[in-house]
Amino acid sequence: MCGDGSGKGCGHREIIDDMTDKLGFTPQILETLGELEPEFVHKYNMCNHRLLKDGALSAKTKILIALAVVASKQCEACVISQMKSALKNGATKEEIMEVMDVIFITSGAPAVAACRDALKQLK
């Protein structure tokens, strides 16, 4: 089953479609990687499944942590993707703004600036 995290028995297209359903959008990088190296999509799926699955931490909490990490790396496209995922997984404006506090305290103004376009999703 594609949604079990292994991707066994699934083609890369089915894995991408399954991720799109869970995330609410299709990360463009997956489309590109699927065309170049379909096996990479299977590897990515195993990692992504762990992020989008509740465990000791809820999926929403892990996605908010991921949002802070990619912001600290100043990857604007990554921040947009994680913001979409956070909202799709129930993150509130208040929770996201607290994450922005963490981003500012730990990574400074450049990391906050990397969130500029992603924050427009909160309007």
Side-chain angles (χ1 to χ4, degrees):
M1 176 179 184
C2 290
D4 69 359
S6 70
K8 292 180 181 173
C10 299
H12 76 278
R13 181 77 253 157
E14 290 84 8
I15 292 172
I16 291 171
D17 291 345
D18 187 58
M19 285 186 196
T20 298
D21 288 342
K22 289 178 181 158
L23 295 170
F25 66 98
T26 304
Q28 185 59 44
I29 188 65
L30 289 182
E31 295 286 354
T32 302
L33 288 168
E35 293 170 11
L36 295 173
E37 184 59 46
E39 183 58 31
F40 186 87
V41 175
H42 289 271
K43 294 173 188 172
Y44 184 91
N45 186 48
M46 289 188 313
C47 295
N48 197 52
H49 179 71
R50 291 191 63 141
L51 180 64
L52 296 175
K53 180 180 174 188
D54 288 337
L57 296 173
S58 70
K60 178 177 77 171
T61 299
K62 291 187 277 187
I63 293 164
L64 289 170
I65 292 168
L67 174 63
V69 170
V70 297
S72 74
K73 300 292 184 182
Q74 299 174 33
C75 176
E76 292 182 37
C78 302
V79 172
I80 290 169
S81 291
Q82 291 301 332
M83 182 72 76
K84 287 179 183 176
S85 185
L87 293 170
K88 169 83 174 168
N89 283 275
T92 65
K93 177 182 177 182
E94 292 76 18
E95 290 169 326
I96 290 169
M97 294 313 297
E98 282 194 31
V99 170
M100 294 303 300
D101 288 342
V102 172
I103 292 167
F104 182 70
I105 291 166
T106 60
S107 301
V112 172
C115 300
R116 178 186 60 242
D117 289 336
L119 287 168
K120 292 176 184 175
Q121 295 176 58
L122 297 178
K123 292 183 179 183

